Amino acid sequence: MGEGIPSLSCFFIQRGGVIIQSILKYINLGMKHFLNLLLAVLTVSVFMQVVFRFLIEQPLAWTEELARYCLIWITFLGAAYAMSLRAHLSVEFFVNSFPLLGRKIMAVLAGVVSLSFFSILVIYGFQLVSKSTSQTSPVLDLPMGFVYLVIPISGIFLIINLLANTISDVLKKEGESHDDPAL
């Protein structure tokens, strides 16, 4: 009777991992579509600025500011999405020279260092948002806290994707490839 409990708990742990991976897949898919939307807004904004400045000779002030804020959001959220794809630069030649246990230890160490930095993004990002809610942007009159909100949001998504990737690396067996939760 005691032998069935470990296998039952392993079943729930595996099932929970599948559910979490499924949720993470949809979060990253939503982030991908939001990034595409921001890129479309950025493109239209810059195109309108060029048309109005050079063809009509009446530049629009708001398009430059909108493009700048879209680019800021794309940069931060794009970093989180790139984390889900494992698209950030890494020194795989050095890491792959270690045996499997060494690679797992390196993955955990890199994860801890990255987690520390991303936690700083979240903590100080929320402080920046709270301090800048009364300040507004010059042309669009947006609260600057809204513009800066992407810093802690991306930090949270970076942490979530980092943890998923690190757990995947630690549980990976010899010869297995990375599974891609974002696809």
Side-chain angles (χ1 to χ4, degrees):
M1 189 169 212
E3 294 175 15
I5 293 174
S7 63
L8 185 62
S9 65
C10 287
F11 169 76
F12 284 117
I13 290 172
Q14 290 174 348
R15 178 99 170 126
V18 170
I19 292 170
I20 290 171
Q21 283 181 339
S22 178
I23 292 170
L24 189 58
K25 176 183 174 183
Y26 286 113
I27 288 172
N28 288 321
L29 185 64
M31 190 174 3
K32 175 184 175 182
H33 291 308
F34 185 66
L35 284 165
N36 287 332
L37 176 68
L38 285 174
L39 185 60
V41 170
L42 172 69
T43 303
V44 169
S45 174
V46 170
F47 179 74
M48 286 178 61
Q49 177 68 1
V50 169
V51 167
F52 276 80
R53 180 177 299 248
F54 294 110
L55 296 180
I56 302 174
E57 295 182 1
Q58 293 292 321
L60 300 172
W62 61 270
T63 55
E64 181 183 343
E65 194 170 289
L66 179 63
R68 182 181 317 123
Y69 297 152
C70 283
L71 187 60
I72 291 168
W73 275 71
I74 288 170
T75 301
F76 278 93
L77 287 179
Y81 184 67
M83 177 67 74
S84 73
L85 299 176
R86 299 177 181 266
H88 287 284
L89 292 175
S90 63
V91 187
E92 291 182 5
F93 175 77
F94 176 70
V95 174
N96 289 338
S97 66
F98 287 97
L100 181 62
L101 179 62
R103 289 193 301 260
K104 288 181 179 186
I105 291 170
M106 297 287 278
V108 170
L109 288 175
V112 167
V113 171
S114 297
L115 183 65
S116 301
F117 176 73
F118 300 150
S119 298
I120 290 170
L121 275 180
V122 172
I123 293 166
Y124 289 104
F126 277 123
Q127 287 179 6
L128 178 63
V129 168
S130 67
K131 288 179 183 178
S132 60
T133 52
S134 61
Q135 179 186 1
T136 59
S137 65
V139 180
L140 293 174
D141 204 32
L142 288 172
M144 290 306 290
F146 175 74
V147 176
Y148 298 140
L149 187 61
V150 72
I151 297 171
I153 288 173
S154 67
I156 290 168
F157 286 138
L158 280 162
I159 289 170
I160 291 169
N161 284 314
L162 172 73
L163 290 175
N165 289 347
T166 304
I167 290 169
S168 172
D169 288 345
V170 169
L171 296 178
K172 187 172 55 172
K173 293 179 175 54
E174 188 71 44
E176 287 183 3
S177 63
H178 295 296
D179 55 340
D180 194 350
L183 295 177

mmCIF file of all heavy atoms in Angstrom, residues 73-107:
data_model
loop_
_atom_site.group_PDB
_atom_site.id
_atom_site.type_symbol
_atom_site.label_atom_id
_atom_site.label_comp_id
_atom_site.label_asym_id
_atom_site.label_seq_id
_atom_site.Cartn_x
_atom_site.Cartn_y
_atom_site.Cartn_z
ATOM 1 N N TRP A 73 8.233 49.376 -24.949
ATOM 2 C CA TRP A 73 7.464 48.184 -24.578
ATOM 3 C C TRP A 73 7.927 46.964 -25.372
ATOM 4 O O TRP A 73 8.036 45.871 -24.829
ATOM 5 C CB TRP A 73 5.964 48.441 -24.777
ATOM 6 C CG TRP A 73 5.336 49.104 -23.594
ATOM 7 C CD1 TRP A 73 5.515 50.393 -23.180
ATOM 8 C CD2 TRP A 73 4.457 48.508 -22.661
ATOM 9 N NE1 TRP A 73 4.789 50.630 -22.050
ATOM 10 C CE2 TRP A 73 4.118 49.496 -21.703
ATOM 11 C CE3 TRP A 73 3.901 47.243 -22.534
ATOM 12 C CZ2 TRP A 73 3.267 49.243 -20.639
ATOM 13 C CZ3 TRP A 73 3.034 46.989 -21.480
ATOM 14 C CH2 TRP A 73 2.735 47.980 -20.547
ATOM 15 N N ILE A 74 8.220 47.142 -26.658
ATOM 16 C CA ILE A 74 8.694 46.025 -27.486
ATOM 17 C C ILE A 74 10.030 45.502 -26.965
ATOM 18 O O ILE A 74 10.256 44.292 -26.912
ATOM 19 C CB ILE A 74 8.806 46.453 -28.963
ATOM 20 C CG1 ILE A 74 7.407 46.618 -29.575
ATOM 21 C CG2 ILE A 74 9.620 45.455 -29.771
ATOM 22 C CD1 ILE A 74 7.417 47.269 -30.955
ATOM 23 N N THR A 75 10.890 46.406 -26.561
ATOM 24 C CA THR A 75 12.214 46.002 -26.073
ATOM 25 C C THR A 75 12.107 45.150 -24.808
ATOM 26 O O THR A 75 12.687 44.063 -24.726
ATOM 27 C CB THR A 75 13.081 47.244 -25.797
ATOM 28 O OG1 THR A 75 13.214 47.991 -27.006
ATOM 29 C CG2 THR A 75 14.454 46.854 -25.285
ATOM 30 N N PHE A 76 11.353 45.622 -23.832
ATOM 31 C CA PHE A 76 11.266 44.898 -22.573
ATOM 32 C C PHE A 76 10.476 43.600 -22.710
ATOM 33 O O PHE A 76 10.906 42.547 -22.232
ATOM 34 C CB PHE A 76 10.653 45.789 -21.484
ATOM 35 C CG PHE A 76 11.650 46.712 -20.844
ATOM 36 C CD1 PHE A 76 11.830 47.998 -21.312
ATOM 37 C CD2 PHE A 76 12.410 46.286 -19.771
ATOM 38 C CE1 PHE A 76 12.747 48.848 -20.729
ATOM 39 C CE2 PHE A 76 13.335 47.127 -19.177
ATOM 40 C CZ PHE A 76 13.507 48.412 -19.662
ATOM 41 N N LEU A 77 9.309 43.666 -23.343
ATOM 42 C CA LEU A 77 8.525 42.439 -23.505
ATOM 43 C C LEU A 77 9.203 41.473 -24.475
ATOM 44 O O LEU A 77 9.080 40.254 -24.332
ATOM 45 C CB LEU A 77 7.112 42.764 -23.989
ATOM 46 C CG LEU A 77 6.193 43.395 -22.948
ATOM 47 C CD1 LEU A 77 4.835 43.698 -23.553
ATOM 48 C CD2 LEU A 77 6.048 42.514 -21.726
ATOM 49 N N GLY A 78 9.918 42.013 -25.455
ATOM 50 C CA GLY A 78 10.657 41.159 -26.389
ATOM 51 C C GLY A 78 11.749 40.368 -25.681
ATOM 52 O O GLY A 78 12.021 39.218 -26.030
ATOM 53 N N ALA A 79 12.357 40.971 -24.665
ATOM 54 C CA ALA A 79 13.366 40.245 -23.885
ATOM 55 C C ALA A 79 12.727 39.068 -23.154
ATOM 56 O O ALA A 79 13.298 37.976 -23.098
ATOM 57 C CB ALA A 79 14.040 41.185 -22.889
ATOM 58 N N ALA A 80 11.526 39.280 -22.612
ATOM 59 C CA ALA A 80 10.833 38.195 -21.915
ATOM 60 C C ALA A 80 10.412 37.106 -22.897
ATOM 61 O O ALA A 80 10.519 35.914 -22.593
ATOM 62 C CB ALA A 80 9.615 38.747 -21.177
ATOM 63 N N TYR A 81 9.945 37.516 -24.069
ATOM 64 C CA TYR A 81 9.554 36.523 -25.068
ATOM 65 C C TYR A 81 10.779 35.762 -25.580
ATOM 66 O O TYR A 81 10.727 34.548 -25.779
ATOM 67 C CB TYR A 81 8.812 37.191 -26.223
ATOM 68 C CG TYR A 81 8.309 36.205 -27.243
ATOM 69 C CD1 TYR A 81 7.307 35.296 -26.915
ATOM 70 C CD2 TYR A 81 8.841 36.148 -28.523
ATOM 71 C CE1 TYR A 81 6.848 34.372 -27.830
ATOM 72 C CE2 TYR A 81 8.393 35.231 -29.446
ATOM 73 C CZ TYR A 81 7.394 34.343 -29.102
ATOM 74 O OH TYR A 81 6.942 33.424 -30.006
ATOM 75 N N ALA A 82 11.888 36.460 -25.763
ATOM 76 C CA ALA A 82 13.123 35.797 -26.189
ATOM 77 C C ALA A 82 13.589 34.782 -25.147
ATOM 78 O O ALA A 82 14.129 33.737 -25.505
ATOM 79 C CB ALA A 82 14.222 36.833 -26.446
ATOM 80 N N MET A 83 13.337 35.074 -23.875
ATOM 81 C CA MET A 83 13.680 34.113 -22.821
ATOM 82 C C MET A 83 12.869 32.828 -23.001
ATOM 83 O O MET A 83 13.388 31.730 -22.814
ATOM 84 C CB MET A 83 13.411 34.723 -21.436
ATOM 85 C CG MET A 83 13.674 33.788 -20.277
ATOM 86 S SD MET A 83 15.404 33.360 -20.054
ATOM 87 C CE MET A 83 16.016 34.880 -19.368
ATOM 88 N N SER A 84 11.611 32.967 -23.397
ATOM 89 C CA SER A 84 10.787 31.777 -23.586
ATOM 90 C C SER A 84 11.273 30.933 -24.756
ATOM 91 O O SER A 84 11.093 29.724 -24.769
ATOM 92 C CB SER A 84 9.320 32.165 -23.800
ATOM 93 O OG SER A 84 9.118 32.733 -25.076
ATOM 94 N N LEU A 85 11.887 31.579 -25.730
ATOM 95 C CA LEU A 85 12.412 30.872 -26.905
ATOM 96 C C LEU A 85 13.864 30.424 -26.727
ATOM 97 O O LEU A 85 14.432 29.817 -27.632
ATOM 98 C CB LEU A 85 12.334 31.767 -28.147
ATOM 99 C CG LEU A 85 10.955 32.226 -28.580
ATOM 100 C CD1 LEU A 85 11.070 33.184 -29.760
ATOM 101 C CD2 LEU A 85 10.081 31.040 -28.942
ATOM 102 N N ARG A 86 14.447 30.775 -25.589
ATOM 103 C CA ARG A 86 15.869 30.515 -25.336
ATOM 104 C C ARG A 86 16.739 31.200 -26.389
ATOM 105 O O ARG A 86 17.728 30.652 -26.860
ATOM 106 C CB ARG A 86 16.172 29.020 -25.302
ATOM 107 C CG ARG A 86 15.454 28.251 -24.227
ATOM 108 C CD ARG A 86 15.772 26.774 -24.329
ATOM 109 N NE ARG A 86 15.086 26.000 -23.324
ATOM 110 C CZ ARG A 86 15.630 25.678 -22.145
ATOM 111 N NH1 ARG A 86 16.834 26.061 -21.848
ATOM 112 N NH2 ARG A 86 14.939 24.966 -21.279
ATOM 113 N N ALA A 87 16.349 32.410 -26.736
ATOM 114 C CA ALA A 87 17.019 33.128 -27.809
ATOM 115 C C ALA A 87 18.077 34.114 -27.307
ATOM 116 O O ALA A 87 18.695 34.796 -28.110
ATOM 117 C CB ALA A 87 15.993 33.878 -28.662
ATOM 118 N N HIS A 88 18.279 34.192 -26.009
ATOM 119 C CA HIS A 88 19.319 35.073 -25.487
ATOM 120 C C HIS A 88 20.686 34.440 -25.717
ATOM 121 O O HIS A 88 20.823 33.220 -25.779
ATOM 122 C CB HIS A 88 19.105 35.347 -23.995
ATOM 123 C CG HIS A 88 17.963 36.268 -23.725
ATOM 124 N ND1 HIS A 88 18.040 37.619 -23.917
ATOM 125 C CD2 HIS A 88 16.709 36.014 -23.302
ATOM 126 C CE1 HIS A 88 16.894 38.172 -23.614
ATOM 127 N NE2 HIS A 88 16.054 37.212 -23.238
ATOM 128 N N LEU A 89 21.687 35.274 -25.831
ATOM 129 C CA LEU A 89 23.042 34.785 -26.067
ATOM 130 C C LEU A 89 23.528 33.951 -24.886
ATOM 131 O O LEU A 89 23.264 34.272 -23.728
ATOM 132 C CB LEU A 89 23.993 35.962 -26.272
ATOM 133 C CG LEU A 89 23.781 36.771 -27.539
ATOM 134 C CD1 LEU A 89 24.723 37.963 -27.540
ATOM 135 C CD2 LEU A 89 24.004 35.921 -28.759
ATOM 136 N N SER A 90 24.227 32.907 -25.200
ATOM 137 C CA SER A 90 24.843 32.089 -24.162
ATOM 138 C C SER A 90 26.128 31.493 -24.726
ATOM 139 O O SER A 90 26.322 31.440 -25.932
ATOM 140 C CB SER A 90 23.901 30.977 -23.701
ATOM 141 O OG SER A 90 23.620 30.102 -24.765
ATOM 142 N N VAL A 91 26.991 31.066 -23.821
ATOM 143 C CA VAL A 91 28.264 30.483 -24.217
ATOM 144 C C VAL A 91 28.122 28.970 -24.131
ATOM 145 O O VAL A 91 28.553 28.345 -23.171
ATOM 146 C CB VAL A 91 29.405 31.008 -23.325
ATOM 147 C CG1 VAL A 91 30.754 30.532 -23.843
ATOM 148 C CG2 VAL A 91 29.371 32.517 -23.239
ATOM 149 N N GLU A 92 27.474 28.397 -25.132
ATOM 150 C CA GLU A 92 27.181 26.969 -25.111
ATOM 151 C C GLU A 92 28.437 26.114 -25.288
ATOM 152 O O GLU A 92 28.506 25.014 -24.764
ATOM 153 C CB GLU A 92 26.155 26.629 -26.183
ATOM 154 C CG GLU A 92 24.786 27.183 -25.873
ATOM 155 C CD GLU A 92 23.765 26.814 -26.914
ATOM 156 O OE1 GLU A 92 24.098 26.034 -27.836
ATOM 157 O OE2 GLU A 92 22.638 27.297 -26.810
ATOM 158 N N PHE A 93 29.411 26.621 -26.005
ATOM 159 C CA PHE A 93 30.642 25.852 -26.198
ATOM 160 C C PHE A 93 31.281 25.537 -24.855
ATOM 161 O O PHE A 93 31.680 24.405 -24.592
ATOM 162 C CB PHE A 93 31.611 26.634 -27.088
ATOM 163 C CG PHE A 93 32.939 25.955 -27.238
ATOM 164 C CD1 PHE A 93 33.080 24.868 -28.088
ATOM 165 C CD2 PHE A 93 34.031 26.380 -26.513
ATOM 166 C CE1 PHE A 93 34.304 24.227 -28.219
ATOM 167 C CE2 PHE A 93 35.250 25.746 -26.631
ATOM 168 C CZ PHE A 93 35.388 24.662 -27.485
ATOM 169 N N PHE A 94 31.358 26.530 -23.983
ATOM 170 C CA PHE A 94 31.957 26.352 -22.659
ATOM 171 C C PHE A 94 31.103 25.433 -21.801
ATOM 172 O O PHE A 94 31.605 24.501 -21.173
ATOM 173 C CB PHE A 94 32.140 27.715 -21.981
ATOM 174 C CG PHE A 94 32.668 27.634 -20.584
ATOM 175 C CD1 PHE A 94 33.980 27.253 -20.343
ATOM 176 C CD2 PHE A 94 31.857 27.928 -19.503
ATOM 177 C CE1 PHE A 94 34.476 27.171 -19.050
ATOM 178 C CE2 PHE A 94 32.329 27.843 -18.206
ATOM 179 C CZ PHE A 94 33.648 27.469 -17.979
ATOM 180 N N VAL A 95 29.794 25.674 -21.775
ATOM 181 C CA VAL A 95 28.889 24.888 -20.932
ATOM 182 C C VAL A 95 28.836 23.439 -21.404
ATOM 183 O O VAL A 95 28.827 22.516 -20.590
ATOM 184 C CB VAL A 95 27.482 25.525 -20.918
ATOM 185 C CG1 VAL A 95 26.490 24.650 -20.174
ATOM 186 C CG2 VAL A 95 27.532 26.907 -20.288
ATOM 187 N N ASN A 96 28.807 23.225 -22.706
ATOM 188 C CA ASN A 96 28.713 21.859 -23.237
ATOM 189 C C ASN A 96 29.988 21.037 -23.025
ATOM 190 O O ASN A 96 29.978 19.828 -23.232
ATOM 191 C CB ASN A 96 28.358 21.885 -24.723
ATOM 192 C CG ASN A 96 26.923 22.323 -24.933
ATOM 193 O OD1 ASN A 96 26.093 22.228 -24.040
ATOM 194 N ND2 ASN A 96 26.643 22.815 -26.119
ATOM 195 N N SER A 97 31.062 21.671 -22.616
ATOM 196 C CA SER A 97 32.291 20.919 -22.339
ATOM 197 C C SER A 97 32.211 20.192 -20.992
ATOM 198 O O SER A 97 33.035 19.339 -20.707
ATOM 199 C CB SER A 97 33.508 21.847 -22.373
ATOM 200 O OG SER A 97 33.443 22.791 -21.314
ATOM 201 N N PHE A 98 31.219 20.523 -20.170
ATOM 202 C CA PHE A 98 31.025 19.868 -18.876
ATOM 203 C C PHE A 98 30.162 18.625 -19.042
ATOM 204 O O PHE A 98 29.374 18.523 -19.972
ATOM 205 C CB PHE A 98 30.329 20.821 -17.890
ATOM 206 C CG PHE A 98 31.213 21.922 -17.384
ATOM 207 C CD1 PHE A 98 31.176 23.175 -17.975
ATOM 208 C CD2 PHE A 98 32.068 21.708 -16.318
ATOM 209 C CE1 PHE A 98 31.977 24.196 -17.513
ATOM 210 C CE2 PHE A 98 32.875 22.725 -15.849
ATOM 211 C CZ PHE A 98 32.842 23.970 -16.448
ATOM 212 N N PRO A 99 30.287 17.680 -18.099
ATOM 213 C CA PRO A 99 29.353 16.542 -18.096
ATOM 214 C C PRO A 99 27.944 17.041 -17.721
ATOM 215 O O PRO A 99 27.765 18.196 -17.333
ATOM 216 C CB PRO A 99 29.928 15.604 -17.035
ATOM 217 C CG PRO A 99 30.774 16.456 -16.170
ATOM 218 C CD PRO A 99 31.281 17.568 -17.037
ATOM 219 N N LEU A 100 26.968 16.168 -17.810
ATOM 220 C CA LEU A 100 25.566 16.542 -17.582
ATOM 221 C C LEU A 100 25.367 17.215 -16.221
ATOM 222 O O LEU A 100 24.689 18.245 -16.132
ATOM 223 C CB LEU A 100 24.659 15.318 -17.711
ATOM 224 C CG LEU A 100 23.165 15.578 -17.521
ATOM 225 C CD1 LEU A 100 22.655 16.533 -18.589
ATOM 226 C CD2 LEU A 100 22.390 14.274 -17.541
ATOM 227 N N LEU A 101 25.945 16.671 -15.173
ATOM 228 C CA LEU A 101 25.794 17.260 -13.840
ATOM 229 C C LEU A 101 26.385 18.674 -13.811
ATOM 230 O O LEU A 101 25.789 19.591 -13.235
ATOM 231 C CB LEU A 101 26.456 16.374 -12.778
ATOM 232 C CG LEU A 101 26.384 16.896 -11.347
ATOM 233 C CD1 LEU A 101 24.922 17.006 -10.895
ATOM 234 C CD2 LEU A 101 27.167 15.995 -10.406
ATOM 235 N N GLY A 102 27.525 18.870 -14.427
ATOM 236 C CA GLY A 102 28.149 20.195 -14.482
ATOM 237 C C GLY A 102 27.276 21.193 -15.236
ATOM 238 O O GLY A 102 27.161 22.354 -14.843
ATOM 239 N N ARG A 103 26.647 20.734 -16.330
ATOM 240 C CA ARG A 103 25.749 21.615 -17.095
ATOM 241 C C ARG A 103 24.535 22.002 -16.259
ATOM 242 O O ARG A 103 24.063 23.140 -16.323
ATOM 243 C CB ARG A 103 25.321 20.938 -18.394
ATOM 244 C CG ARG A 103 26.455 20.837 -19.407
ATOM 245 C CD ARG A 103 25.948 20.453 -20.776
ATOM 246 N NE ARG A 103 25.236 19.184 -20.801
ATOM 247 C CZ ARG A 103 25.750 18.035 -21.202
ATOM 248 N NH1 ARG A 103 26.996 17.981 -21.628
ATOM 249 N NH2 ARG A 103 25.031 16.929 -21.201
ATOM 250 N N LYS A 104 24.039 21.056 -15.480
ATOM 251 C CA LYS A 104 22.891 21.355 -14.619
ATOM 252 C C LYS A 104 23.276 22.359 -13.534
ATOM 253 O O LYS A 104 22.512 23.275 -13.230
ATOM 254 C CB LYS A 104 22.350 20.074 -13.984
ATOM 255 C CG LYS A 104 21.631 19.178 -14.971
ATOM 256 C CD LYS A 104 21.095 17.930 -14.310
ATOM 257 C CE LYS A 104 20.365 17.060 -15.312
ATOM 258 N NZ LYS A 104 19.717 15.910 -14.685
ATOM 259 N N ILE A 105 24.446 22.198 -12.965
ATOM 260 C CA ILE A 105 24.917 23.140 -11.941
ATOM 261 C C ILE A 105 25.104 24.526 -12.547
ATOM 262 O O ILE A 105 24.702 25.537 -11.962
ATOM 263 C CB ILE A 105 26.221 22.628 -11.284
ATOM 264 C CG1 ILE A 105 25.933 21.392 -10.438
ATOM 265 C CG2 ILE A 105 26.873 23.716 -10.435
ATOM 266 C CD1 ILE A 105 27.168 20.662 -9.938
ATOM 267 N N MET A 106 25.675 24.587 -13.744
ATOM 268 C CA MET A 106 25.842 25.875 -14.438
ATOM 269 C C MET A 106 24.487 26.516 -14.737
ATOM 270 O O MET A 106 24.328 27.731 -14.611
ATOM 271 C CB MET A 106 26.631 25.685 -15.734
ATOM 272 C CG MET A 106 28.042 25.194 -15.553
ATOM 273 S SD MET A 106 29.119 26.456 -14.910
ATOM 274 C CE MET A 106 29.495 27.301 -16.415
ATOM 275 N N ALA A 107 23.512 25.711 -15.117
ATOM 276 C CA ALA A 107 22.166 26.231 -15.405
ATOM 277 C C ALA A 107 21.546 26.827 -14.140
ATOM 278 O O ALA A 107 20.929 27.892 -14.186
ATOM 279 C CB ALA A 107 21.274 25.132 -15.974
#
